């Protein structure tokens, strides 16, 4: 397998819950050239380059490199265990021996009626700007009104509604 993903990127998209050990790793599917992560609330499919002899497995996050520079020079063999090679050094890790959930069962099969682009830095800025609720929750309701329209958001803080919008960006 070949990928430029780092440990931080993978860990950010995996569960931290010890009661969900399969979700604490990345599900590698060589036939689909895909690495899937899930934290119980979001699923991300990353494209990867698979090797011919790689096997399907749940990879521990620690097999991935810490830096993007390291990732550029890393190669993986996923067969019986995870093996990462980087500049002559080898790192080995055992697979997570759990069953990965059937994420396809919860993935919508219909195409979206429209697509809208959201600047991720603005979305992060929004998340940072909103206060947490009394239950330490930072949930935000997003409303997609119409194609190329602003995305409306709202949340409740101390029984007060905080609302606004995020302007769309052009997708290439």
């Amino acid at each position: 397998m070949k990928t430029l993903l780092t440990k931080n990127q993978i860990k950010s998209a995996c569960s931290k819950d010890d009661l969900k050990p399969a979700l604490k790793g990345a599900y590698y599917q060589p036939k689909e050239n895909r690495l899937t992560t899930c934290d119980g609330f979001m699923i991300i499919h990353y494209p990867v380059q698979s090797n011919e002899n790689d096997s399907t497995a749940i990879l521990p996050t620690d097999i991935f490199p810490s830096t993007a520079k390291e990732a550029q020079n890393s190669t993986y063999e996923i067969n019986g265990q995870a093996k990462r090679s980087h500049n002559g050094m080898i790192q080995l890790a055992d697979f997570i021996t759990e069953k990965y959930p059937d994420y396809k069962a919860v993935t919508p099969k219909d195409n979206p009626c429209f697509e809208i682009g959201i600047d991720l830095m603005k979305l992060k800025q929004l998340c940072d700007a909103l206060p947490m609720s009394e239950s330490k929750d930072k949930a935000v309701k997003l409303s997609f009104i119409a194609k190329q329209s602003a995305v409306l958001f709202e949340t409740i803080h101390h029984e007060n509604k905080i609302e606004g919008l995020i302007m769309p960006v052009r997708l290439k």
Side-chain angles (χ1 to χ4, degrees):
M1 176 179 78
K2 182 85 172 142
T3 182
L4 297 178
L5 295 167
T6 65
K7 184 185 309 187
N8 188 43
Q9 290 169 312
I10 297 294
K11 274 187 146 177
S12 294
C14 290
S15 177
K16 314 301 184 251
D17 189 344
D18 289 333
L19 296 176
K20 301 174 185 171
L23 296 183
K24 291 181 82 171
Y27 185 48
Y28 176 51
Q29 297 168 281
K31 289 181 181 169
E32 286 85 9
N33 291 313
R34 179 169 49 207
L35 195 63
T36 299
T37 57
C38 178
D39 70 355
F41 297 95
M42 69 175 173
I43 298 169
I44 300 177
H45 302 295
Y46 296 103
V48 296
Q49 243 180 9
S50 299
N51 297 327
E52 189 177 324
N53 295 325
D54 283 352
S55 57
T56 299
I58 304 173
L59 309 177
T61 57
D62 289 339
I63 195 67
F64 295 92
S66 299
T67 67
K69 186 176 180 178
E70 247 184 275
Q72 288 178 341
N73 300 317
S74 291
T75 57
Y76 301 82
E77 292 177 36
I78 312 299
N79 200 341
Q81 68 180 161
K83 175 182 173 183
R84 180 172 69 93
S85 302
H86 172 261
N87 292 343
M89 296 176 55
I90 293 176
Q91 177 186 359
L92 300 173
D94 292 329
F95 297 154
I96 296 174
T97 56
E98 298 287 327
K99 183 172 176 5
Y100 207 78
D102 182 9
Y103 64 84
K104 291 178 184 175
V106 298
T107 303
K109 298 189 185 11
D110 298 331
N111 290 328
C113 57
F114 64 89
E115 294 177 346
I116 192 164
I118 298 176
D119 181 320
L120 291 178
M121 294 311 291
K122 285 293 177 193
L123 187 58
K124 182 182 181 319
Q125 188 178 351
L126 167 67
C127 293
D128 292 342
L130 293 175
M132 280 193 218
S133 69
E134 294 78 29
S135 64
K136 303 295 184 225
D137 185 7
K138 263 202 162 180
V140 174
K141 176 177 133 185
L142 298 176
S143 299
F144 299 84
I145 307 301
K147 188 173 184 176
Q148 299 301 315
S149 176
V151 177
L152 304 177
F153 68 85
E154 70 178 58
T155 188
I156 304 296
H157 184 253
H158 295 293
E159 299 180 15
N160 296 312
K161 186 192 306 187
I162 299 171
E163 59 187 351
L165 59 92
I166 301 172
M167 296 304 293
V169 296
R170 180 169 293 158
L171 297 172
K172 295 180 182 184

